[in-house]
Amino acid sequence: MNSRPPITLRDLAALDVGQLKGIGEKKRASLAAFGIDTVLDLVATYPRRWVDRTNEARIADLVPGQEALVLVAVRSVAKRTTRNRRSMVTASVGDGSGRMEVVFFNQPWRERQLKEGLQIALFGKADTYRGGLQMSNPIVDLIGDRTGKIVPIYPQSEKAQLNTWELAGWIEEALRRCRDRGIADPVPKQVVSRLGLIGRSEALSSIHGPDSIREKEQARRRLAFDELLRVQMVLVLRKRELERSSQGLSHTVDGELVRRFHEALPYPLTDAQTRVIGEIDHDLASSNPMHRLLQGDVGSGKTVVAVSMLLAAVQGGHQGALMAPTEVLAEQHFTGVRALLGDLKVPDPGNLFGDRPLRVELLTNRVTGSERRDVLAGLADGMVDIAIGTHALIQEGVEFSSLGTVVVDEQHRFGVEQRAALRDKSSGHVPDLLVMTATPIPRTAAMTVYGDLDVSVLDEMPPGRTPILTKWANGPLLEVEVWADVRHEVAEGRQAYVVCPLIEESEKLEVASAEETFQRLAHDELKGLRIGLLHGRLSSAEKQITMDLFRSGQLDVLVATTVIEVGVDVANATMMVVLDADRFGIAQLHQLRGRVGRGQHASTCWLVTQEHDEGNPRVEALVASTDGFELAEVDLDLRGEGTLMSTSQKGRSDLKLASLRRDRELVVLAREAAFEIVDADPDLVDHPVLRDELDLLFTEEDEGFLAKS
Ligand code: ADP
Ligand code: MG
């Protein structure tokens, strides 16, 4: 009878791979070069492909011109040099059903790789050649002499001298040794059975050696769930910890001030705005500090939501702060919010009339001298109700009387330090925090990337916006039409933005290219129009002057780099031209496009690409849709996986099998399970294996990274 407890991941991490049969010094070094040091690293090296022997096409089933996978044995190999001095390796391969020829150009090493008798999987397109079948430059996976219906294929490395059948053998051996004690399952039984997951032991065996593709899929689902659950556990533990350790304010949510503000608006709130304000109010009323992300496409009306939240603080006798990433945006918000608030009064029993005007002030590094002293004094004694500014708001030397709510606009990384700075500003209690972004993130990705935030979504546009027509000027011939269109629009009294090519590698080059574009347009295509230039190397005073000229209609066209990406709001600008649009990402193009379509006139966005292009999925996606969330999904699909952690932290805690794209449903389930576990057992006393696994797999750095989002 063996009564030892099941093996944990920590046990496996304590075993050196060198202890396995067949791994000597040399192989151990090869594995180390691959990042595999322990048995845990080894069994967590998953196949990158599974070949189904029972079902894959045989040579006899190949159809010329179509891509297919075949499993074959090498019969003979030959190398020669072609007339134009290219190397050419030819292999004759066969299976029970027939034979064919495979040719590799410029891959002389194939001669050494493809030994006679070796089993290989080939993926490629077969063609008829001299009466027989031939595949050229197919993808090759070496299979060795593995048996079994489904053959796992591991990442291989010619250089490190590791091949898939060796890895398969060692993993098999490692798992065989675990069999007696079994592998511990840290996920609560009720979660496993509710979600219809298979056990972890079984999943590990099946991922490496499934009997069917279905079995492999079940194994993948279970192990992917585990990866996602661990990430969510870290995030949810931190969220709950933050809530427990900090004292927030319980705000008065249904007060006079917010009600009057809503009544005075020139339009009714959209359903989405009403819903999101309700979600926020719910948090504001509770004494747990709120930490919420508000996602809303450009123009979805986030400002009204933000101002409602600032006023909720004010009506309870506290203050609100709105923070923007740049001075220009802070100033714009300041003007906009003041206009929105009109002549709203705050109740003031000490005043003869029982109220006083609401006081809103701007604080950036441009506010200096006595003006600054005045604002700082007002913040400290509570006479300033709402402060709008940049990071200057949380700098040292700025004291609030009682900061109740904070809205942060367009700041993706408002991390732990900033939150700590806020706490210091507010005499012990933590203000409620709303982070707003116009960059739509698919909901499930947001749950992981912004996992310790609650998420609200403004998914409805206010009525009355004119939809933006997006067109692709594919190549130089169509560009002519773009400039004619700009001239036409200007003749109608409208204005246009021209965004210069993005040069990520160098701001200097980008500025040079913007200047060049400006000169060219001014002397040629747009000669005679009033044109301004805006780029990152200008002083903020110079930028201000240009923006003011454009805003007041004294410029027809604004040539700019992406400095205009966020927040600039000129209702009379109805045309956006993006040059070299293929250099931009989907999200960025969508942001840029959001600069137009802000007034009552119809707007156009031209996406210009230099060379005529057969197809460009990103540009086409923008032409097809104006829905930011839909575009975010497309973006995720096009970009593929990427990693969760920053590249330097790619490691044990990263997602190996789970995909934020494919496993949306699992992300939600993992998050629910994490809440269920943490809320029933906040210190994981009853889940020692799970707790230990998190300690083992996540470094402090990883946790910091996840929480910083
Ligand atoms: P965002 O900050 O989300 O890009 P804004 O808050 O600047 O959007 O709002 C965009 C425009 O929509 C503004 O001109 C605003 O006045 C208007 N707006 C906001 N809410 C509504 C509404 N409920 N009905 C009509 N117009 C609205
Ligand atoms: Mg609260």
Side-chain angles (χ1 to χ4, degrees), residues 286-364:
S286 129
S287 64
N288 284 333
M290 174 172 89
H291 188 199
R292 187 173 279 279
L293 175 75
L294 172 59
Q295 291 192 57
D297 215 338
V298 194
S300 59
K302 294 188 289 297
T303 315
V304 170
V305 175
V307 171
S308 302
M309 173 163 156
L310 299 174
L311 290 174
V314 176
Q315 72 189 358
H318 305 284
Q319 296 157 298
L322 171 60
M323 221 161 93
T326 66
E327 288 176 348
V328 172
L329 284 178
E331 283 158 22
Q332 205 161 284
H333 269 310
F334 178 62
T335 317
V337 168
R338 272 219 301 211
L340 202 55
L341 288 169
D343 52 5
L344 214 57
K345 301 265 196 304
V346 204
D348 179 8
N351 186 295
L352 191 56
F353 304 100
D355 55 20
R356 63 171 175 84
L358 186 79
R359 186 166 166 206
V360 185
E361 294 288 355
L362 174 73
L363 188 69
T364 66

Side-chain angles (χ1 to χ4, degrees), residues 462-678:
R465 278 173 66 92
T466 48
I468 303 165
L469 177 65
T470 302
K471 299 199 257 186
W472 180 12
N474 186 359
L477 285 177
L478 280 163
E479 200 183 318
V480 176
E481 192 182 324
V482 174
W483 305 121
D485 211 11
V486 170
R487 284 182 176 281
H488 177 260
E489 209 65 5
V490 169
E492 297 279 307
R494 306 281 88 76
Q495 291 162 284
Y497 298 101
V498 176
V499 177
C500 299
L502 173 75
I503 303 176
E504 243 162 27
E505 304 80 33
S506 153
E507 197 196 13
K508 210 167 134 194
L509 279 180
E510 188 169 271
V511 169
S513 128
E515 273 160 356
E516 200 181 295
T517 306
F518 171 76
Q519 293 297 342
R520 192 191 92 204
L521 294 177
H523 291 103
D524 192 359
E525 284 97 337
L526 301 181
K527 195 170 173 178
L529 303 190
R530 297 167 303 168
I531 307 182
L533 173 64
L534 199 68
H535 60 64
R537 288 271 167 116
L538 297 175
S539 71
S540 45
E542 287 170 310
K543 278 188 223 163
Q544 190 65 37
I545 291 169
T546 308
M547 263 330 291
D548 286 346
L549 287 173
F550 189 68
R551 211 174 275 127
S552 61
Q554 297 173 71
L555 289 174
D556 302 313
V557 177
L558 187 63
V559 175
T561 56
T562 48
V563 293
I564 61 154
E565 190 175 344
V566 226
V568 174
D569 195 355
V570 178
N572 192 47
T574 53
M575 177 153 298
M576 165 69 59
V577 179
V578 184
L579 298 175
D580 286 7
D582 45 339
R583 298 187 71 112
F584 295 85
I586 286 187
Q588 214 172 6
L589 289 172
H590 182 63
Q591 286 283 318
L592 285 168
R593 176 169 65 180
R595 299 303 106 218
V596 295
R598 313 204 128 221
Q600 80 266 34
H601 301 285
S603 293
T604 309
C605 173
W606 275 107
L607 301 175
V608 182
T609 53
Q610 267 186 24
E611 305 288 332
H612 181 82
D613 199 346
E614 282 308 313
N616 184 314
R618 279 177 293 146
V619 173
E620 284 161 13
L622 274 129
V623 171
S625 172
T626 51
D627 178 333
F629 285 92
E630 199 177 305
L631 289 168
E633 298 277 349
V634 175
D635 197 21
L636 203 60
D637 282 347
L638 287 177
R639 272 189 299 149
E641 292 316 323
T643 57
L644 182 60
M645 304 294 164
S646 65
T647 39
S648 66
Q649 277 158 299
K650 221 176 140 163
R652 280 177 170 174
S653 55
D654 214 344
L655 304 178
K656 292 195 174 104
L657 289 170
S659 137
L660 296 184
R661 178 166 55 110
R662 267 201 300 168
D663 297 316
R664 283 166 206 174
E665 169 236 354
L666 273 188
V667 174
V668 178
L669 295 173
R671 186 159 176 85
E672 280 168 12
F675 272 115
E676 183 180 325
I677 296 167
V678 174

Side-chain angles (χ1 to χ4, degrees), residues 672-686:
E672 280 168 12
F675 272 115
E676 183 180 325
I677 296 167
V678 174
D679 286 343
D681 180 15
D683 296 314
L684 302 185
V685 183
D686 299 327

Side-chain angles (χ1 to χ4, degrees), residues 248-251 282-290 430 432:
L249 291 169
S250 175
H251 290 278
H282 177 266
D283 286 1
L284 290 183
S286 129
S287 64
N288 284 333
M290 174 172 89
V430 178
D432 291 283

